Amino acid sequence: MLEIEIDGKKLTVPTGSTVMDAANSIGVHIPHFCYHKKLSIAANCRMCLVQVEKAPKPLPACATPVTDGMKVYTHSDMAVKAQKGVMEFLLINHPLDCPICDQGGECQLQDLAVGYGQSGSRYEEEKRVVANKNLGPLISTDMTRCIHCSRCVRFTEEIAGYQELGMPGRGEHTEVMSFIGKTVNSEISGNVIDLCPVGALTSKPFRYSARTWELSRRKSVGAHDGLGANLVVQVKNNQVMRVLPLENEAINECWLSDRDRFSYEALNSAARLTQPMVKDGGQWKVVGWQEALELVATKLKGITASHGADSVAAIASPNSTLEELYLLRKSLAGLDIRNLEARTRLGDVRFETKAAGWLGQSIVDLAASESLLLIGSTLRKEQPLLAQRLRQSVKKGLKLALINPHDDELLCAVAGKLVVRPDQLVEGVLAVLKAAADITGKAVPADIDLAGVEVSTEARALAELIVAGEKKSLVLGNIALQHERAAELHAAAAALAEIAGATLGLLRDGANSVGADIVGFATNKDLITANKKAYVLLHSELADLKQGAKAAFEGAEFVVAMTSFADEARDYADVLLPVSPFSETSGTFVNMEGKPQSFNGVVRPLGETRPAWKVLRVLGNILGLNGFDYDSSEAVRGDVLNGDIAKVLDNTPAKAVAVKAQATAGLVRLAEVPLYETDALVRRAPSLQATVDAESAAQLRANAATLASFGLVAGGNACVQQGGASVTLAVAEDAGLPDQVVRVPFGRATLALGSGAIEVIKA
Amino acid sequence: MTVYVKGVVFEGVDFDDPKHWGIEAYMARGGYTALKKILSTGMTQDEIIAEMKTSGLRGRGGAGFPTGLKWSFMPRSFPGQKYLVCNTDEGEPGTFKDLDIIVDNPHALIEGMIIGGFAMGITVGYNYIHGEVFEAYERFEAALEEARAAGFLGDNILGTSFCFQLHGHHGYGAYICGEETALLESLEGKKGQPRFKPPFPASFGLYGKPTTINNTETFASVPYIIREGGQKFLELGKPNNGGTKLFSVSGHVNRPGNYEIPLGTPFSELLEMCGGMRDGKKLKAVIPGGSSAPVLPADIMMQCTMDYDSISKAGSMLGSGAVIVMDETTCMVKALERLSYFYFEESCGQCTPCREGTGWLYRVVHRIEQGLGRPEDLDLLLSVGGNIAGRTICALGDAAVMPVQGMLKHFRSEFEHHIEHKQCLVPGF
Ligand code: SF4
Ligand code: FES
């Protein structure tokens, strides 16, 4: 600890602190631009110059290490003169176009200029003009406003992991730009908008749509992945205008993924469903809520009476709230309907955890692991901010290892990896398990047959890594959980975790996947291919479901879709109920670490839209059921989460599954859910759909040898046939894939495809 | 042109011999005996550093920091890789001495670096050579090959366990890369811009490893000091200003060139060596230590001796030893405009005061030169300069301001004349 005095206040700070850290710790504000607590120190803006006793010149607080007995003056004549001098320099070439700048009202330069600037300028020479850059559909540029703080550059390099922005040029010719002809494509790129202290980088979708002071700030929770990022939703005239991160160090830190930031566009989409509708003689008709719900009640009652309760199934998006799911379960239970599923992309009906499947520990604890083995995950796309957090952990010593069917860059150092065919993922884990059993001399469970498992050097290296050390984690990602042998992967991974003494975690895809498990939206039946007589859909759409869903819905006697959008379900549903997206309802998401986060609606429901929990409460009453007199979503939540949540979380496989290595050959598909195909909102956010990532959702990718074996060329087209259907996709090369693997994403472009044998021909 | 008067770097070099730069000629004049002495007599690292301290050698790159002291800062027992770097990124207007060293006596530099490596327990060295000098770079590479072939460089030098690898690196011509941390960044393959210090290169240098950086002339002086002893070197100059020094004399003299003379030589003598003023014109002013040193008027300059202390007492600095001589036909406004343009163009653009301030200074001086000056401009220049100096990451900000301050201190009336009459005081400009 070191003693320091700042503006006469004495304090002690840890060795290694900077003057800025010390000042922050006692709430002394030192003006700054380039300093950011999450970024490396650049010390280039010089706004933070302060006077330090015995130093002949003012020193930058952000970069000056505290020495014992140091005396700092942040507002002395010397300090203020230096700060004002810097402010003058920053302003001479700044356009001062605040009236037409989106940053106006939340601009650090504007704010500090009030305190440190002059009313007139002594600079009467020509001002600099800098050409704008095309950074893609999300970030708008006005580069003349740039003050060269390099925050954006450091962000791409240090936080996003790949330096997509740089500062070529010297002196006054220094400009922030992307690689020539390239845009900024990081999955977390939007954070540079928040970081930019001026209006050089602003939000493209938000551009010129409101002044910041007209916006109210309301808290919410990210609805597109398992992280549960905390949000500030900004609202004007009952419309969501933009979304910003709300700092929560334990979850999203001060960042936001682009998916959570820009998907709000869909909330204002013209495709929104605003009134209840029923299909009458093949024609859609607008009806009142009462009429619609009575029809639903009558139909469900009729079908259960004539075909039995097992003939009805409810399929919900894992982004539905805990309250919605609970009341759906409760109302259907009144008709004895028990077919409930929210794990809509699960690939293996045998997969079952003892209680709700979760990360196995907190996000913070996971990131503090000594070693982490990630199995079957495209982490940057599945959970962008978790990938970011682990990237920082790797810099601090985390050994991150992978077993994956691809070799995608995590943009951090990887301590070991095993790249296998997607249909050899189980065998990959078995190889590591065998090596780990070998090293530790521990036995594997009897259901796991290791005969014929070959241990490669890579597998052995992974085993050595995961058995050594203290705090170890083993995590199954979406590719693993969506795998057709997910139950075997689960069993093998659990055995490996046991032998290695590691914590087993599951990366759940939805905002409320864990909550859905808790409510009981997990059957071990395939509800789609079972062709039920009636389906109740909550926020889920065809692109969330497997092949055959459309046929199953069309073949059903009755389908009710509780949805926010009118543009899809009208093809197969009989009743459309407009229910609130997360922004228009109160509710709770339980994130991947088992943390329930409740939120309020940030805007009023659009048109006749109603929060689904209220709709289901009315349905319960219409069905004549008891216990539906809730007056708030909190009351509903109280019925579900009434005790220690840790007791309802358990990743242990519920039943033993026989695991055995299988030989595979031939062409195989690697199907993942692309970054911007995850849910109904994301799929309808135009700016996200204009990104490079969205483009790749309609691509077939394979390595050069595989492409050549089918006569395909990158840039050309391919016709893919699977499950009796075919689609045409653009072809791109992916050098990281094993031979005879085609990466064909799971999304709207490939919805027609089924599973099993796949064929590819040149188109 | 190099004129050897008395000193250590070019001692014994026969410039008429086309192979004067080669290893044979170098060895014939006593080259590599210092290295052999160290390796055969078992001279210790401490003894070498002590010898360097005795010599009073001060860094020849411009800052004049005592070399022996700098060498003693290197954490010799640091377990990982350490680096030795030579700064031949000579880019300051008026300075051209290091160029001649790698062209005419490259082995003195190589031997000096090998000795430095030995003294500090460093096994890898780089010489960062300015971008625009192609032949000089090739000459240095050729000399390296000779030294490797002769067993002075590489593994197990002269059969001992001492290993030292030395590589040439050709820069890209940015002045800022002469700043040692910008040089390191550039050497690492990044954009050459200075790092904030602390940490200093001695603890966090090239690739984050302890690194010692010295100027070309500094290293080239080392063999002499080891061979002849630090005391002898010291006595070549004057106390606190040990040894001899290369002065790059340019401007309005009859024989511009590099002059190696003892520190403490009166300026008037140096001027004589250069054949006096061109065309018999009158001396008006001298920039005594490279473009960033404040200008000194003739009368002050004629009283100075050429050493760190005397020039600094006169209000300027010896810097790298670039002496820019101006005669009475020189327009000081035009001269400052040139200087200011240089710093404006060469600012790395990283930190605010320098990026924004150098352009401002240049534009105002340019305006005055164009006859568009305003009376308040001169105070504005000083005020803007005051806001740059001491507020930047590296010394380029100060370097840009000092010429302005020097000019306005000694030649303010000339600027006022320009502003008032919208034309030059000096006929012909
Ligand atoms: S664009 Fe913004 S964040 Fe990037 S350097 Fe310029 S001012 Fe800083
Ligand atoms: S905040 Fe310290 S120099 Fe920018």
Side-chain angles (χ1 to χ4, degrees), chain A residues 184-259:
Chain A
V184 173
N185 302 329
S186 164
E187 62 283 354
I188 56 174
S189 69
N191 292 296
V192 299
I193 298 166
D194 301 340
L195 284 174
C196 184
V198 294
L201 307 177
T202 52
S203 165
K204 210 174 243 183
F206 174 70
R207 191 167 171 82
Y208 296 149
S209 61
R211 303 303 324 218
T212 59
W213 54 85
E214 304 172 316
L215 301 171
S216 45
R217 300 165 62 88
R218 305 199 175 138
K219 289 182 194 175
S220 191
V221 176
H224 312 288
D225 61 33
L227 193 84
N230 291 193
L231 316 177
V232 172
V233 180
Q234 295 204 297
V235 171
K236 178 186 165 186
N237 297 338
N238 200 44
Q239 210 183 0
V240 174
M241 302 305 290
R242 69 172 176 177
V243 172
L244 302 174
L246 176 65
E247 187 164 345
N248 183 340
E249 193 55 30
I251 295 179
N252 53 310
E253 304 167 59
C254 54
W255 312 123
L256 209 52
S257 67
D258 288 356
R259 197 161 56 193

Side-chain angles (χ1 to χ4, degrees), chain B residues 23-88:
Chain B
I23 195 163
E24 275 173 33
Y26 181 65
M27 290 178 72
R29 50 181 190 260
Y32 288 111
T33 52
L35 179 62
K36 287 181 191 155
K37 174 178 157 186
I38 289 170
L39 294 180
S40 61
T41 63
M43 200 172 171
T44 65
Q45 296 176 327
D46 287 327
E47 284 164 354
I48 298 171
I49 292 175
E51 211 54 59
M52 293 302 296
K53 286 186 176 163
T54 308
S55 75
L57 174 65
R58 288 168 62 164
R60 300 300 197 224
F65 192 81
T67 307
L69 196 57
K70 191 184 238 184
W71 286 18
S72 70
F73 290 159
M74 169 55 77
R76 271 181 279 157
S77 52
F78 180 84
Q81 185 68 57
K82 302 184 281 286
Y83 295 101
L84 188 65
V85 174
C86 174
N87 184 348
T88 311

